Amino acid sequence: MQVAQQHARAARPVVAKRRRMSPLARREAAWAIVFISPWIIGFFVFTLLPMVTTFVFTFTNVTLTQEQPLRFVGLNNYVTLLNDPQAWESLGVTLKFAALALPVGVLTPFVVALLLNSAYLRGSSVFRILFFIPYVVPFVAGVLIWQSMLNPESGWINQFLSTIGVADPPDWLQDPRWIYPGLVFIGIWGIGGAIIVYLAGLRGIPTELYDAAKIDGAGWWGSLRNVTMPMLSPVFLYTLVLGIVDVLQYFLVPLVINQGTGEPGGTTNFLNLYIYQNFFTYQNMYYGATLAWLLFGITLVITLVVFGTARRWVYYAGER
């Protein structure tokens, strides 16, 4: 009997006593909360609270002027969204532009970073500064400068094309066939931040890996494919996710260039521009909030798909 009781006591799980925090640890934890409290307060006030508020708006008829009594409308706004051809047309415009702009926005800074990281390029620090300066220039001012440079008659880009023999240079910002390349040109101007991120990733790759690749007979392309690309894949993931979020929210450039008219031919009527129009032009905050949650849902789904497939192509050096 005593032996059985001893075995029963031995089989009981040992519950570790919770260690009490020392006064120093409690003081450090309190100061940590104090230091991060501005971010926490800012997140709740400027991010979480507006998100919850806009979600509530989707079930009401709230407007900026509110001439009608505020009331609960259920899912009527979502039904209106499903039957709104302009909303889906704007989404199609956004996705079409993203298919062109996203690969360029991810790969171009990578190529530039490779050139700047090359041992054969002299004065790379000067080029890093030159590439980064446009990133800190006020965006609207930069868009207006590019609008002048892409002018079909007086812009220096078309003048250069005429000089090298192009008889009919394109009308970059007014021709539906060339509007997306023109907008991509403007976007390339601000890739300085991504270049710095890629450069940091390239500088973090151990040189021993390149030495081992050379011993195995790998040339420049082999080292790029088997060393640089796998080791830089987390940076590609980071840049890709940020690029997806940015391109799905794209609207400031066409708003400045064409005043949000969607010209030429509706090719710049992006979904985020349509959201802006419903919020501030039509003053239909309820429908603008519904469109905003549609954009949030699409962005969330695409981002989750990217993270779900990342385990197949993203390599982390600390993993086995």
Side-chain angles (χ1 to χ4, degrees):
M1 186 67 179
Q2 294 179 351
V3 175
Q5 292 177 350
Q6 292 176 356
H7 281 291
R9 294 193 193 99
R12 293 175 184 173
V14 178
V15 181
K17 294 184 179 180
R18 184 178 179 180
R19 298 180 59 184
R20 299 182 61 182
M21 296 179 62
S22 64
L24 177 61
R26 286 197 298 269
R27 186 164 57 252
E28 290 179 347
W31 276 109
I33 295 175
V34 170
F35 283 124
I36 67 174
S37 60
W39 182 90
I40 296 175
I41 295 172
F43 172 77
F44 276 97
V45 174
F46 298 108
T47 302
L48 184 61
L49 182 60
M51 287 182 63
V52 174
T53 303
T54 54
F55 185 69
V56 174
F57 284 173
T58 63
F59 302 103
T60 65
N61 65 336
V62 61
T63 63
L64 284 177
T65 57
Q66 201 59 46
E67 298 177 355
Q68 299 179 356
L70 182 64
R71 59 188 177 85
F72 178 77
V73 298
L75 298 177
N76 289 352
N77 294 328
Y78 292 96
V79 174
T80 303
L81 172 62
L82 294 176
N83 297 308
D84 184 4
Q86 187 173 355
W88 302 109
E89 180 181 348
S90 300
L91 177 59
V93 169
T94 303
L95 296 178
K96 187 186 301 183
F97 175 72
L100 175 64
L102 189 58
V104 174
V106 172
L107 296 178
T108 302
F110 169 66
V111 174
V112 175
L114 283 178
L115 295 176
L116 295 179
N117 195 54
S118 174
Y120 303 101
L121 180 65
R122 295 182 178 180
S124 59
S125 59
V126 177
F127 286 102
R128 286 199 300 268
I129 296 174
L130 293 176
F131 276 111
F132 189 74
I133 285 177
Y135 184 74
V136 298
V137 172
F139 195 73
V140 175
V143 172
L144 294 176
I145 293 172
W146 269 98
Q147 186 177 14
S148 299
M149 289 192 297
L150 294 174
N151 187 285
E153 298 178 358
S154 60
W156 65 264
I157 292 181
N158 277 12
Q159 290 182 0
F160 171 76
L161 294 176
S162 300
T163 303
I164 62 176
V166 178
D168 188 17
D171 189 351
W172 296 97
L173 301 178
Q174 298 301 326
D175 190 340
R177 298 172 300 175
W178 291 99
I179 181 64
Y180 291 156
L183 295 178
V184 171
F185 266 130
I186 298 175
I188 290 177
W189 188 65
I191 62 174
I195 292 174
I196 298 301
V197 172
Y198 278 115
L199 275 173
L202 289 171
R203 297 293 173 85
I205 300 176
T207 56
E208 294 83 358
L209 298 179
Y210 291 108
D211 296 336
K214 289 180 181 180
I215 293 175
D216 291 338
W220 178 85
W221 172 252
S223 298
L224 177 67
R225 182 174 179 270
N226 297 300
V227 178
T228 305
M229 299 291 284
M231 295 298 295
L232 213 61
S233 56
V235 181
F236 277 109
L237 176 63
Y238 170 80
T239 309
L240 178 61
V241 172
L242 290 186
I244 291 172
V245 175
D246 288 341
V247 77
L248 291 179
Q249 294 181 351
Y250 189 82
F251 92 106
L252 184 58
V253 176
L255 179 65
V256 173
I257 292 177
N258 297 313
Q259 292 74 50
T261 59
E263 297 296 331
T267 54
T268 60
N269 189 23
F270 294 93
L271 180 58
N272 215 32
L273 182 60
Y274 189 44
I275 295 173
Y276 172 84
Q277 291 171 346
N278 275 276
F279 262 112
F280 300 106
T281 304
Y282 311 142
Q283 300 184 0
N284 295 332
M285 298 184 68
Y286 59 91
Y287 193 57
T290 307
L291 291 168
W293 274 92
L294 170 66
L295 179 60
F296 172 77
I298 294 173
T299 306
L300 179 62
V301 169
I302 296 177
T303 305
L304 290 177
V305 170
V306 171
F307 275 107
T309 59
R311 67 185 66 179
R312 301 180 181 178
W313 59 275
V314 177
Y315 169 76
Y316 295 100
E319 294 181 349
R320 293 183 177 181

